[in-house]
Amino acid sequence: MKSIKILLLSLFFGSLLTACHEDMDDVRREANTFEINDFIWRGMNNIYLYKADVPDLADDRFGSREELNEFLKSFGSPEELFYEGLLAPQDEFSFITDDYPALEKALDGVATTNGMEFGLVRISGGSNNVIGYVRYVLPNTSADENGIKRGDFFVSIDGEELTADNYARLLEPATYTIGLAEIVNGSITPTGREVTLVKEEYTSNPVFFAENLELEAGKVGYIMYNGFTGNFDGYLNNTFGMFKSEGITDLILDLRYNSGGSVESAVDLSSMITGQYNGEVFSTEQWNEDYQTYFEENDPERLINRFNNKIRTGELINSLNLNKVYVITTLRTASASELLINGLEPYIDVIQVGKSTTGKFQASVTLYDSPDFRRKGANLSHTYAIQPLIYKSLNAAGVTDYFDGLPPDVELAEDITNLGVIGDPGEPLLEAALNHLQGVPQQKRPSPDKPYSFVGESGMQDLLYQKMYDEKAPPRLKE
């Protein structure tokens, strides 16, 4: 087996990132709640995908500016107006932030982490206790330096047992100590080992692991890709360049922990997998009535995302020209990951291995308090921004609204008691993909001794958790 083994070297590559944002150290007066509420209403009234479903966003809702002002003053905070006054019932993904510099860092793949990426589960049967299990560890982080590895379990934080009621509070501090445990024959037993982990600002390369597996059936490329982060599109493209130079005949794309990100990166990755459909429709966009009409009459191409041959830097895409791809998914697989799967379906065979995805097909955009809602010229008296849903995506066959997620062709749940090693051909989900590829019947695996129910995971509090975003700010249509 010839391995490329592209492991994440984020501390090094972070220094190479070119994205920068305006300095927020300017002296400014504080905006009052009414001013911020006014910006929020104007933004949502302009561009919100579900505007028609929110009566208080209708253009004729208020008979005068005074009536609108009284409405805005009735909310005690921007968050109250946004979440309780202006969101449609079906919207689970739009959000507001009072710290858009932090949001901008998140868009660049920068977060504060100790490097332990984990899931949290509860044993069925009435227990309130929660078990944490490690999915993977980011290199050059506190967890990495302290020997934490995939498959480790922890049951306490700073000496306090994890429960469904306290886990969020216990995992919030910048420094905490985990109490490790093991599961043997369904019994959970603390090992007595404790490890102190420290969070630091860290830039994550979403290309976590990649390798070339040489099988009798041919050379199979495997890549675990954990987020559609635009700053690393060049690194992703170089990875596909290595796959191309190695002459791979098949590809397994592991999106099991990928909760989404940039629409443009999803289109580019799809073009790396294929290449033979340059210029063809990858997906189309459906906006609210105002914007849909405007684009159809003035800029119909804006509603179309096409397969292409260049990434955002202008670098030519390394395309594999494949007619089939294997994609590993779980319930954690969301938004831009689902866009990629759905967008490829009309063109090539997409063999999905694992579990159904989240069911997120809408994209959002960052709106700032400026005349055109863009970053330049943003009001310096506050750092609020909103990230509303602005359109839903349809593939070339018109498929959208997959509220229940995208179902797998080969169904297999990830077993926390037998996670395996990422990239190892014996890792259960990768093995299932390889078996299907080689025509080997799927072996029925024994169920865990005790069923576990999902409680939470690392990253749930992140601003961009399960979000798909468009980086092309649309024009403002009205005052």
Side-chain angles (χ1 to χ4, degrees):
M1 180 178 71
K2 187 169 182 178
S3 176
I4 301 171
K5 305 223 181 209
I6 306 171
L7 290 180
L8 180 56
L9 299 174
S10 297
L11 295 182
F12 172 73
F13 284 101
S15 65
L16 302 181
L17 298 180
T18 58
C20 61
H21 305 290
E22 296 176 22
D23 188 358
M24 294 306 301
D25 294 333
D26 307 79
V27 176
R28 64 174 75 94
R29 72 171 182 82
E30 290 293 326
N32 59 45
T33 296
F34 170 75
E35 291 175 304
I36 300 171
N37 284 356
D38 182 61
F39 145 63
I40 294 167
W41 188 88
R42 285 185 286 109
M44 296 290 278
N45 167 259
N46 262 265
I47 199 171
Y48 187 37
L49 172 62
Y50 298 119
K51 173 183 175 179
D53 299 321
V54 183
D56 287 327
L57 287 175
D59 292 340
D60 59 356
R61 169 64 178 84
F62 302 101
S64 66
R65 177 70 216 196
E66 288 70 26
E67 285 187 25
L68 172 59
N69 289 351
E70 288 304 310
F71 170 76
L72 297 177
K73 290 176 182 177
S74 69
F75 293 89
S77 69
E79 290 79 7
E80 182 184 353
L81 169 65
F82 187 83
Y83 291 113
E84 298 181 26
L86 302 181
L87 280 197
Q90 67 268 38
D91 185 358
E92 300 177 6
F93 298 102
S94 295
F95 67 91
I96 183 173
T97 177
D98 62 358
D99 184 8
Y100 65 68
L103 172 59
E104 292 166 344
K105 284 187 176 182
L107 292 168
D108 286 343
V110 181
T112 300
T113 179
N114 55 35
M116 182 177 69
E117 298 297 319
F118 57 84
L120 299 166
V121 296
R122 177 169 49 190
I123 298 177
S124 300
S127 172
N128 200 39
N129 287 353
V130 166
I131 311 163
Y133 67 97
V134 180
R135 291 171 171 167
Y136 63 97
V137 173
L138 297 172
N140 303 312
T141 59
S142 180
D144 184 31
E145 293 166 358
N146 282 281
I148 300 300
K149 63 185 184 302
R150 175 173 167 84
D152 282 345
F153 297 97
F154 58 97
V155 291
S156 66
I157 302 289
D158 294 330
E160 188 173 345
E161 284 191 355
L162 283 168
T163 69
D165 301 318
N166 68 16
Y167 73 86
R169 170 178 58 83
L170 294 179
L171 290 163
E172 183 179 5
T175 301
Y176 55 72
T177 300
I178 60 172
L180 295 174
E182 58 184 3
I183 299 179
V184 180
N185 297 325
S187 297
I188 304 163
T189 306
T191 65
R193 182 188 171 204
E194 295 186 332
V195 177
T196 299
L197 302 176
V198 180
K199 297 177 183 177
E200 294 181 328
E201 193 171 272
Y202 185 90
T203 303
S204 290
N205 181 341
V207 181
F208 181 74
F209 188 90
E211 67 179 354
N212 175 15
L213 302 170
E214 296 191 8
L215 309 175
E216 289 185 9
K219 295 181 178 180
V220 180
Y222 167 80
I223 176 172
M224 173 172 270
Y225 184 62
N226 291 335
F228 291 82
T229 309
N231 281 335
F232 286 93
D233 284 356
Y235 195 96
L236 178 64
N237 195 37
N238 289 340
T239 302
F240 272 73
M242 286 186 274
F243 282 150
K244 189 173 182 178
S245 67
E246 291 290 336
I248 70 164
T249 56
D250 293 278
L251 177 70
I252 299 173
L253 176 62
D254 194 338
L255 301 178
R256 75 181 78 186
Y257 305 133
N258 191 319
S259 68
S262 166
V263 171
E264 184 174 352
S265 296
V267 176
D268 288 349
L269 177 52
S270 298
S271 301
M272 294 173 198
I273 294 168
T274 56
Q276 64 270 44
Y277 303 108
N278 185 39
E280 295 293 317
V281 174
F282 172 75
S283 67
T284 59
E285 302 167 1
Q286 184 175 317
W287 298 61
N288 70 28
E289 183 178 358
D290 294 337
Y291 274 86
Q292 192 72 18
T293 300
Y294 172 82
F295 285 132
E296 287 176 354
E297 295 179 351
N298 298 280
D299 186 12
E301 192 63 26
R302 177 62 177 83
L303 297 172
I304 303 173
N305 294 297
R306 298 184 184 276
F307 289 96
N308 57 86
N309 58 10
K310 293 180 181 179
I311 61 174
R312 66 187 71 209
T313 63
E315 180 184 351
L316 288 175
I317 283 178
N318 293 308
S319 297
L320 300 180
N321 295 289
L322 297 176
N323 294 308
K324 178 176 65 176
V325 65
Y326 285 80
V327 184
I328 295 175
T329 64
T330 65
L331 186 58
R332 314 274 67 78
T333 306
S335 63
S337 292
E338 295 170 293
L339 173 67
L340 177 140
I341 296 168
N342 193 48
L344 286 174
E345 283 280 2
Y347 294 95
I348 66 174
D349 291 333
V350 181
I351 312 300
Q352 197 175 321
V353 178
K355 299 292 287 185
S356 291
T357 60
T358 298
K360 166 74 162 50
F361 45 85
Q362 311 99 326
S364 65
V365 74
T366 307
L367 298 186
Y368 299 89
D369 187 3
S370 70
D372 59 3
F373 298 126
R374 288 173 167 82
R375 177 67 164 83
K376 186 176 182 180
N379 187 343
L380 294 179
S381 65
H382 67 86
T383 54
Y384 271 92
I386 57 175
Q387 192 84 16
L389 296 179
I390 57 172
Y391 64 77
K392 67 177 183 178
S393 290
L394 302 81
N395 70 12
V399 176
T400 185
D401 293 350
Y402 35 88
F403 291 99
D404 296 326
L406 301 171
D409 300 284
V410 179
E411 186 167 10
L412 180 64
E414 193 166 54
D415 179 2
I416 69 169
T417 64
N418 180 33
L419 288 176
V421 177
I422 294 297
D424 188 303
E427 184 275 311
L429 291 179
L430 176 54
E431 182 182 47
L434 290 171
N435 284 343
H436 189 280
L437 188 156
Q438 298 175 99
V440 178
Q442 182 181 349
Q443 301 296 316
K444 183 173 177 60
R445 292 179 175 273
S447 301
D449 292 327
K450 294 183 179 180
Y452 301 98
S453 58
F454 175 79
V455 173
E457 61 188 334
S458 53
M460 286 187 71
Q461 305 305 316
D462 293 350
L463 291 172
L464 297 177
Y465 177 72
Q466 293 190 336
K467 304 298 190 298
M468 177 167 65
Y469 53 86
D470 196 310
E471 293 144 302
K472 298 175 292 191
R476 179 174 176 174
L477 298 188
K478 57 179 182 280
E479 295 299 322

